[in-house]
Amino acid sequence: SLTVIANAKVPIIKMRDKETGLNIDISIDTINGYKNTKLIMHFIEEDNQITGGALKNLLLVLKFYLHILNMNETVTGIGSYGLALLVLSFLQHYPEQLSPSVDLGCLLVEFFNLYGLQFNYERVGISVTNGGSYFIKEDKNWLDYDSVELLSVEDPEDETNDVTHSSKNIYVVQDAFQQAYNKLII
């Protein structure tokens, strides 16, 4: 199947591979998709040397989890690039736990705890540049008073771009992370 979303901020062709059933999105008229993919691949390669693949493995588990819940796209939850930056930020803030023998299960539970229960979506934004940091959304004029619960993730390729600003249903994702955390710690 093939769908063209021409009126989106970034026009997209969506299709499904017949053999694998995988969904494929192709961005049109922009170089960002290619640059973003190269950037994430760089972070994955860098992470492979430190943890043996925590970034890639957490990202795959979370993408599958959100896919099952139909929250794996910007319109329904969070897109792949935003999720990748979220996972990267999480790992940047837990460097003491990262090694080739890292317990991915523990990292997953901590991820669900942070983004399901602890993270202040209303006031705090995320940056992965220079080793990762948090910032006050209001300081960057990213506080949307009509939708204060929105996640804000700075694009490392363009610090003026909030990658997750269009993820209007992020509260549903936050709730799914909270429920996962609660189920896993029981």
Side-chain angles (χ1 to χ4, degrees):
S1 66
L2 180 78
T3 306
V4 176
I5 304 173
N7 58 350
K9 181 179 177 185
V10 176
I12 299 271
I13 295 176
K14 299 175 99 32
M15 62 182 126
R16 179 182 296 261
D17 182 71
K18 287 181 182 178
E19 288 183 31
T20 64
L22 292 174
N23 293 322
I24 301 166
D25 289 1
I26 300 172
S27 57
I28 301 187
D29 201 25
T30 179
I31 190 73
N32 290 354
Y34 175 76
K35 286 170 58 176
N36 296 348
T37 300
K38 294 287 281 185
L39 181 69
I40 296 302
M41 292 305 296
H42 167 76
F43 284 129
I44 287 173
E45 288 172 16
E46 201 173 76
D47 175 70
N48 282 341
Q49 296 172 3
I50 299 168
T51 70
L55 175 59
K56 180 180 178 182
N57 292 327
L58 275 177
L59 188 55
L60 287 172
V61 168
L62 290 164
K63 282 178 64 90
F64 184 70
Y65 175 63
L66 293 173
H67 172 75
I68 290 170
L69 299 173
N70 194 31
M71 297 179 193
N72 60 321
E73 296 189 24
T74 303
V75 177
T76 59
I78 187 170
S80 294
Y81 186 51
L83 181 63
L85 295 175
L86 198 64
V87 174
L88 177 60
S89 172
F90 168 75
L91 293 174
Q92 288 174 327
H93 285 88
Y94 287 88
E96 69 281 353
Q97 295 186 27
L98 301 181
S99 71
S101 61
V102 65
D103 184 331
L104 291 173
C106 287
L107 282 179
L108 181 64
V109 170
E110 288 301 318
F111 179 91
F112 285 144
N113 181 38
L114 176 62
Y115 294 115
L117 298 165
Q118 304 299 322
F119 191 77
N120 186 342
Y121 288 76
E122 186 174 317
R123 294 187 34 88
V124 179
I126 295 169
S127 173
V128 299
T129 55
N130 300 319
S133 63
Y134 296 130
F135 59 86
I136 303 301
K137 288 166 55 168
E138 201 166 29
D139 292 348
K140 289 187 73 147
N141 270 342
W142 284 11
L143 185 58
D144 183 343
Y145 290 100
D146 294 328
S147 303
V148 292
E149 74 284 348
L150 291 180
L151 177 64
S152 290
V153 179
E154 179 185 87
D155 187 341
E157 295 288 333
D158 176 4
E159 295 179 358
T160 65
N161 181 32
D162 180 354
V163 171
T164 55
H165 182 73
S166 297
S167 296
K168 302 295 186 193
N169 290 323
I170 197 67
Y171 65 93
V172 179
V173 175
Q174 179 187 9
D175 187 56
F177 290 163
Q178 180 179 354
Q179 288 180 34
Y181 175 78
N182 290 335
K183 288 179 182 175
L184 290 171
I185 63 162
I186 290 178

